[in-house]
Amino acid sequence: IIGELPCEVEVLASHVILPPQFWRSFYVVHRGKAFFEDLVSFMSGGRTTHLVGYGEDVIRRVREAIGATDPAKAAPNTIRARYGRSVTENAIHASDSPASARFELSCGLTGLLDYGYIDLKRFIELKDRFLKDEGMEDE
């Protein structure tokens, strides 16, 4: 799936298992929705790969390539249409705005550090590269 993304990609960590409390923070915008606990359970029940995509107009291009959240409604040949099983198990997550990208990357990096998947040096390197004070560039 990573090779199908229309952007440059930095893999932050592969084959990571993060606990429910991480996913509750990561998906905080969905707290209170009917699918929230199923999503948390699914995400904490297996390995995930964490990455950041970058480049010109990256959010729009990636969202177009992955398709609608519901794989049954995703355009043919999009990642979710091909690999997704349901709205909860839709194969891939991608930020929908610069603000959510910034939050999700910050939350993700902190989680990867807290749970030992990256060290402090790598955390600082990635934070400095992707979370500059003036905001994310090439959004």
Side-chain angles (χ1 to χ4, degrees):
I1 291 175
I2 294 170
E4 297 179 31
L5 295 172
C7 61
E8 294 185 60
V9 174
E10 174 93 21
V11 176
L12 308 178
S14 295
H15 308 292
V16 170
I17 298 176
L18 292 167
Q21 60 265 29
F22 169 81
W23 295 109
R24 284 189 182 93
S25 295
F26 188 85
Y27 286 115
V28 68
V29 299
H30 298 304
R31 185 172 286 147
K33 295 179 182 174
F35 63 84
F36 182 72
E37 286 302 324
D38 287 341
L39 177 61
V40 168
S41 177
F42 173 71
M43 293 304 297
S44 58
R47 298 182 185 280
T48 56
T49 296
H50 299 253
L51 53 96
V52 61
Y54 55 95
E56 188 174 329
D57 202 19
V58 66
I59 292 173
R60 183 196 59 77
R61 291 186 306 124
V62 167
R63 299 289 297 181
E64 188 174 276
I66 68 172
T69 304
D70 183 346
K73 296 177 182 175
N77 297 318
T78 59
I79 290 170
R80 287 176 171 157
R82 289 195 316 276
Y83 304 111
R85 295 181 188 160
S86 68
V87 174
T88 301
E89 299 179 30
N90 62 23
I92 191 167
H93 171 83
S95 303
D96 62 2
S97 70
S100 57
R102 189 168 180 79
F103 169 79
E104 291 166 359
L105 183 54
S106 179
C107 182
L109 286 175
T110 301
L112 293 174
L113 176 66
D114 288 348
Y115 295 102
Y117 290 103
I118 59 174
D119 62 19
L120 185 57
K121 181 179 177 185
R122 180 80 168 132
F123 172 84
I124 292 169
E125 170 192 316
L126 292 165
K127 184 177 178 294
D128 288 348
R129 182 168 177 204
F130 294 111
L131 292 172
K132 299 177 180 130
D133 289 337
E134 67 274 6
M136 295 173 66
E137 295 179 17
D138 294 322
E139 296 170 320

